[in-house]
Amino acid sequence: MQVDENAVDDVIKRLRRAEGQIRGVIGMLEDGRDCSEVVTQLAAVSRALDRAGFKIIASGLQQCVTAAPGEERKANLDQMEKLFLSLA
């Protein structure tokens, strides 16, 4: 199952933002910043990555519901459930 084209742009934006946040965290560590500040930024990066993953799963669920017939739909939904739980 492919990621919907409309979701791809949003996911890429989220990942690029997370990439910048990770660079910022590395800089904070190199500068000897306080651990609570570093952990706060790491939590923000983690949330950004989770949101990107959930966006991909939501796109897949839409495809499952609208496109696939019968058994194929069930198999796709089972796959989406496993992916969702891997992020939860």
Side-chain angles (χ1 to χ4, degrees), residues 68-86:
E71 285 299 313
E72 183 180 346
R73 180 181 305 172
K74 178 163 177 14
N76 287 343
L77 286 172
D78 289 345
Q79 180 184 14
M80 290 292 104
E81 180 182 9
K82 288 177 186 174
L83 291 172
F84 176 81
L85 292 173
S86 74

Side-chain angles (χ1 to χ4, degrees), residues 20-62:
Q21 288 174 307
I22 290 171
R23 275 194 237 103
V25 169
I26 292 169
M28 291 172 76
L29 289 168
E30 291 172 342
D31 294 343
R33 298 280 291 271
D34 184 70
C35 67
S36 65
E37 294 174 12
V38 172
V39 171
T40 299
Q41 290 304 309
L42 283 173
V45 171
S46 179
R47 284 190 303 273
L49 293 174
D50 285 346
R51 284 189 206 111
F54 289 132
K55 182 73 173 183
I56 291 170
I57 291 169
S59 169
L61 286 172
Q62 281 184 318

